[in-house]
Amino acid sequence: MTRRRPTGGVLGDQDLHLFNEGTHSRLYEKLGARVGMDGKGTEGVTFTVWAPNAERVSVLGDWNGWDPSANPMEPIAESGLWRGAASAASIGSVYKYRIVARGGGYTVDKADPFAFCTEVPPATGSVVASLDFKWSDADWMKTRGARAALTAPMSVYEVHLGSWKRGADGEVLTYREIAPLLADHIERLSFTHVEFLPVMEHPFYGSWGYQCTGFFAPSSRQGTPQDFMFLIDTLHRRGIGVILDWVPSHFPSDEHGLVYFDGTHLYEHADERQGVHPDWGSLIFNYGRNEVRSFLLSSAFFWLDHYHADGLRVDAVASMLYLDYSRKEGEWIPNRFGGRENLEAISFLKQMNESIYAEFPDVQTTAEESTSWPMVSRPTYLGGLGFGLKWDMGWMHDSLDYIKEDPVNRRWHHRKLTFRMLYAWHESFTLPLSHDEVVHLKGSLLAKMPGDAWQQFANLRLLLAYQFAQAGKKLLFMGGEFGQGREWNHDRSLDWHQLELPQHAGVLRFVEDLGRLYRDAKALHERDCDPEGFEWVDADDSEQSVISFLRRGKSPDTWMLVVLNFTPVPRANYRVGVPEDGFWSEVLNSDSVEYGGSGQGNLGTVEAAPVPAHGRPYSLILTLPPLAALFLEWHRAGDR
């Protein structure tokens, strides 16, 4: 199908009402640069911008010699919006708005907050663009709802597009060049989704996209809007969902951006105790201003609508929820009840999730929320924030803290492995091993692992097995799938040459088989967010640093036993209780030789004995390989 944006962009009274009310979710169809007729018989491009404190506004661009007097704009009633037309402008024209604040003391040239395209940074102009594109993902769009269900497998490959893979001379690849390469890689590893670090235009490349100025424009560093659509379309046609990292929590202070837009703190708070983020020096949106809510709501809808995104991962939700986030006493302003909760941000997040799920019921929203705020991923009608999923940051930090310990000391830290199950069902969780853990001198995942080289790779395979075996959806940052040795650097490609080394290639083969098992075995994903899908067998063997548990699907016949040995000591004749007799097939062993392991295991299948153990009527006698995970699938006695 071909998706075309409406021409003209005529604003009606209803649009103005919804905009000022804070409920307009498709301002991108009305504001910004609109190609074609403006409803008054004018050809060219019609421009509309929100600047309620402006005394004069004009559009200047490459077609009028950047002359601020050539194309003046007029206010639209009392809405705070300004509109003007330029008959000589066309697709590809570069432009900005010249804004003169009331009183004439402040004059500035601003990029269009609703621009669909921008100049390639460091240039900061907006570009008139079309969003016409012939999509070929109709089959995906019809079926993606089932793939987004909490009962479906969801394993996410997190990617920074500018550094995933580069050209021979270190050049950044375009969206179109990356498309087939990335699709091949993800398909091979059986990840169900890819999540892109923010692709929205950002002036500082080193922000990885989290300092966004273009809330409606993919970064032009790697191509046009259509090029980015081609990338998503390619992934969809290969059966891969696309999640976009989206940042409504703050924006940078670059002069051409949203800051002090019309001579007032239009998008941000005026008081620094509310408007400036103490960690990043960026500016915090004023969620209590209705027009700002319409702007952000429209940005979220835009990527789901025009770019067919299958979900949004909302960044830094905790910084939105708390007025005192990263602030000392006296550096923040309490809410009207004297509390620390940001009531306007809470209201906006609920509104956003309600609106998205009403309009796009076949997508998921995910919160990066690092505190114990209750009911983040529960419906708003139950008092929740309305997200579909929440990152389990506690699991990530506990697991990494544990795995970094020398195995001889792990017995004293055993609770870090087991604590999660005390809260695992409070939310619908994604278990991340994200980009934040492989930057800023934290080292790569592989570099965190203790021991000699063999033990480091074994520990990494064990960590990844533990992640995929646990209840919850999965997310792995690029490079982790083959044991990237160096810390991630956004200015260079991943070290793909390391795949020429057997140990790195072995990790990749293991992740390939692990991803396929998670995707295909219902016991490992159908009840990811359901307490019926997980049972401890033995959570308390801290002395030997072994844990064992059962995963199960909705059918009574779908059992998977997982046993993890977190020491380099092989353990023979290790008895594990199981609920059923019959045969338990070793379907995955992270110590297999093909993965770089020592090759110890259980010769494929183990028969349950009628010997009770761990409160269960049957048991298995297993060989536990060193620093390894075993996955054993149950089969009835006659079904082998």
Side-chain angles (χ1 to χ4, degrees):
M1 77 181 161
T2 300
R3 184 180 293 277
R4 303 177 65 91
R5 66 175 177 83
T7 59
V10 177
L11 276 163
D13 290 342
Q14 182 72 355
D15 291 305
L16 299 179
H17 170 75
L18 295 176
F19 173 51
N20 296 137
E21 185 184 61
T23 58
H24 205 308
S25 59
R26 285 190 166 88
L27 287 173
Y28 50 88
E29 296 179 349
K30 305 294 179 178
L31 274 61
R34 315 297 304 169
V35 180
M37 306 293 289
D38 69 347
K40 299 180 181 178
T42 305
E43 293 285 354
V45 180
T46 301
F47 299 89
T48 309
V49 66
W50 181 49
N53 191 57
E55 185 173 286
R56 295 192 307 278
V57 181
S58 58
V59 60
L60 55 164
D62 54 7
W63 69 89
N64 64 16
W66 300 92
D67 178 3
S69 65
N71 294 110
M73 304 175 73
E74 299 292 332
I76 301 176
E78 303 297 323
S79 65
L81 295 167
W82 295 72
R83 165 159 287 191
S87 59
S90 60
I91 290 176
S93 294
V94 181
Y95 69 101
K96 283 188 175 181
Y97 297 116
R98 170 68 56 87
I99 296 176
V100 179
R102 289 176 187 164
Y106 178 76
T107 300
V108 67
D109 293 343
K110 290 288 189 180
D112 188 348
F114 283 88
F116 296 150
C117 187
T118 73
E119 290 185 286
V120 178
T124 58
S126 301
V127 178
V128 179
S130 164
L131 294 180
D132 289 354
F133 182 76
K134 187 174 182 179
W135 289 90
S136 303
D137 64 348
D139 289 343
W140 168 270
M141 296 296 284
K142 290 176 184 176
T143 61
R144 69 175 183 173
R147 303 168 192 253
L150 295 181
T151 54
M154 180 177 286
S155 53
V156 182
Y157 184 58
E158 189 186 28
V159 170
H160 177 256
L161 280 168
S163 60
W164 178 72
K165 185 174 286 189
R166 293 198 172 190
D169 297 323
E171 72 276 14
V172 174
L173 299 180
T174 67
Y175 297 125
R176 288 182 182 267
E177 289 170 333
I178 287 173
L181 304 176
L182 185 60
D184 285 346
H185 187 65
I186 295 174
E187 191 173 51
R188 173 185 174 183
L189 297 177
S190 296
F191 282 100
T192 64
H193 291 73
V194 62
E195 179 175 308
F196 294 134
L197 269 63
V199 298
M200 299 78 186
E201 193 60 88
H202 47 286
F204 176 45
Y205 182 69
S207 76
W208 317 328
Y210 289 100
Q211 297 279 347
C212 170
T213 52
F215 283 81
F216 298 84
S219 179
S220 56
R221 291 177 177 90
Q222 292 177 266
T224 66
Q226 285 74 18
D227 293 335
F228 185 53
M229 291 176 187
F230 176 85
L231 170 58
I232 295 176
D233 194 53
T234 298
L235 292 165
H236 280 176
R237 286 187 285 110
R238 300 283 286 275
I240 301 163
V242 178
I243 300 168
L244 300 182
D245 209 335
W246 182 62
V247 190
S249 51
H250 63 118
F251 59 91
S253 58
D254 298 71
E255 186 182 57
H256 71 280
L258 299 178
V259 60
Y260 209 60
F261 192 81
D262 63 352
T264 65
H265 297 282
L266 190 62
Y267 287 88
E268 71 275 17
H269 289 275
D271 194 314
E272 289 193 2
R273 292 173 296 173
Q274 296 173 294
V276 178
H277 197 291
D279 287 348
W280 307 310
S282 52
L283 303 172
I284 300 171
F285 283 104
N286 183 351
Y287 305 106
R289 188 157 198 167
N290 287 343
E291 293 85 354
V292 172
R293 293 166 76 106
S294 288
F295 171 81
L296 290 173
L297 188 60
S298 294
S299 175
F301 268 54
F302 177 74
W303 300 100
L304 300 170
D305 184 7
H306 277 290
Y307 283 88
H308 291 197
D310 303 296
L312 298 175
R313 179 264 194 186
V314 182
D315 180 63
V317 170
S319 74
M320 299 172 66
L321 294 174
Y322 298 97
L323 295 167
D324 63 344
Y325 186 89
S326 286
R327 299 181 190 274
K328 299 176 183 177
E329 188 174 350
E331 295 179 348
W332 57 283
I333 300 175
N335 63 37
R336 63 181 181 271
F337 301 111
R340 59 197 285 252
E341 300 81 10
N342 189 331
L343 302 179
E344 291 80 13
I346 295 166
S347 172
F348 167 71
L349 289 171
K350 290 181 177 182
Q351 175 193 8
M352 178 200 76
N353 283 313
E354 288 173 355
S355 300
I356 287 175
Y357 282 114
E359 189 72 18
F360 304 96
D362 52 355
V363 307
Q364 286 284 14
T365 62
T366 302
E368 187 222 10
E369 201 287 307
S370 55
T371 74
S372 56
W373 187 279
M375 302 181 70
V376 171
S377 59
R378 296 294 181 258
T380 57
Y381 63 79
L382 295 177
L385 292 182
F387 286 94
L389 291 161
K390 172 184 170 174
W391 274 21
D392 190 346
M393 311 289 279
W395 172 87
M396 179 171 68
H397 295 143
D398 283 350
S399 298
L400 290 176
D401 286 347
Y402 177 86
I403 205 76
K404 286 187 287 188
E405 291 286 343
D406 188 298
V408 74
N409 296 323
R410 285 176 178 170
R411 69 180 69 181
W412 310 113
H413 302 273
H414 195 75
R415 187 171 177 270
K416 290 185 181 294
L417 286 178
T418 61
F419 176 72
R420 175 180 189 258
M421 301 318 298
L422 297 179
Y423 68 84
W425 317 114
H426 293 175
E427 303 278 1
S428 298
F429 280 119
T430 291
L431 309 183
L433 290 171
S434 74
H435 65 278
D436 280 327
E437 301 309 308
V438 294
V439 290
H440 302 320
L441 303 181
K442 294 179 183 177
S444 67
L445 284 183
L446 181 65
K448 298 179 196 299
M449 303 298 112
D452 59 25
W454 187 92
Q455 290 179 345
Q456 283 187 301
F457 281 98
N459 272 304
L460 178 58
R461 296 192 302 271
L462 178 57
L463 172 65
L464 297 174
Y466 176 52
Q467 178 191 26
F468 274 71
Q470 265 280 3
K473 306 311 177 185
K474 329 297 177 188
L475 179 138
L476 178 64
F477 184 58
M478 64 184 199
E481 75 275 21
F482 63 86
Q484 161 102 3
R486 286 188 290 189
E487 182 175 275
W488 172 52
N489 184 336
H490 62 268
D491 281 323
R492 60 179 301 146
S493 173
L494 293 179
D495 293 331
W496 294 103
H497 62 275
Q498 292 187 321
L499 285 172
E500 299 172 7
L501 303 174
Q503 291 282 23
H504 292 277
V507 174
L508 188 72
R509 281 194 293 271
F510 176 65
V511 173
E512 181 179 346
D513 291 344
L514 181 64
R516 185 183 304 111
L517 180 64
Y518 169 73
R519 183 197 64 194
D520 295 345
K522 292 183 178 181
L524 289 177
H525 67 251
E526 266 194 331
R527 285 176 159 171
D528 265 338
C529 303
D530 179 350
E532 295 294 321
F534 180 96
E535 294 181 18
W536 280 117
V537 175
D538 189 356
D540 298 322
D541 190 0
S542 59
E543 194 63 28
Q544 300 185 86
S545 296
V546 175
I547 59 173
S548 51
F549 53 84
L550 289 156
R551 297 294 312 279
R552 66 183 306 182
K554 292 185 176 182
S555 166
D557 295 336
T558 53
W559 288 99
M560 186 76 71
L561 172 68
V562 182
V563 187
L564 304 106
N565 177 13
F566 286 92
T567 71
V569 179
R571 305 197 182 279
N573 300 315
Y574 191 91
R575 186 176 293 277
V576 179
V578 291
E580 304 285 354
D581 63 355
F583 296 93
W584 293 76
S585 298
E586 190 177 86
V587 292
L588 189 65
N589 178 346
S590 69
D591 190 53
S592 294
V593 173
E594 63 178 323
Y595 307 140
S598 66
Q600 301 184 57
N602 297 278
L603 302 177
T605 301
V606 181
E607 185 173 5
V611 178
H614 299 121
R616 290 173 171 78
Y618 305 96
S619 60
L620 308 177
I621 296 294
L622 300 175
T623 295
L624 306 188
L627 295 173
L630 300 177
F631 292 75
L632 296 106
E633 189 173 42
W634 176 63
H635 303 279
R636 295 185 187 277
D639 292 345
R640 271 205 308 164

